[in-house]
Amino acid sequence: MIVTCKDQTDSIFSSSNYWSSGENSNNNAWNVNLNNGNVNNNNKNNNNYVRLAFAFCV
């Protein structure tokens, strides 16, 4: 999906947990809840969303 910056809204992301790039331990990684902003560690075997970390504005 291509979204221009002026068209981008939070509605294109699920209000759920997204993985960060950081590890908490060998078995856990950090995630961010986009609904409330909470940051937690989560077992790497759990299913969380991922998202692109940069955007191109046209």
Side-chain angles (χ1 to χ4, degrees):
M1 173 195 324
I2 297 175
V3 179
T4 64
C5 290
K6 66 181 177 183
D7 295 333
Q8 187 173 356
T9 65
D10 290 337
S11 64
I12 63 173
F13 298 109
S14 172
S15 295
S16 194
N17 290 327
Y18 285 77
W19 289 116
S20 77
S21 61
E23 287 185 318
N24 177 266
S25 68
N26 287 337
N27 296 321
N28 292 318
W30 294 104
N31 66 38
V32 178
N33 185 308
L34 293 187
N35 186 46
N36 58 24
N38 287 344
V39 177
N40 299 295
N41 64 65
N42 205 294
N43 188 285
K44 293 178 183 178
N45 291 323
N46 291 342
N47 292 323
N48 290 314
Y49 290 96
V50 294
R51 66 179 250 185
L52 190 61
F54 62 91
F56 292 100
C57 296
V58 291

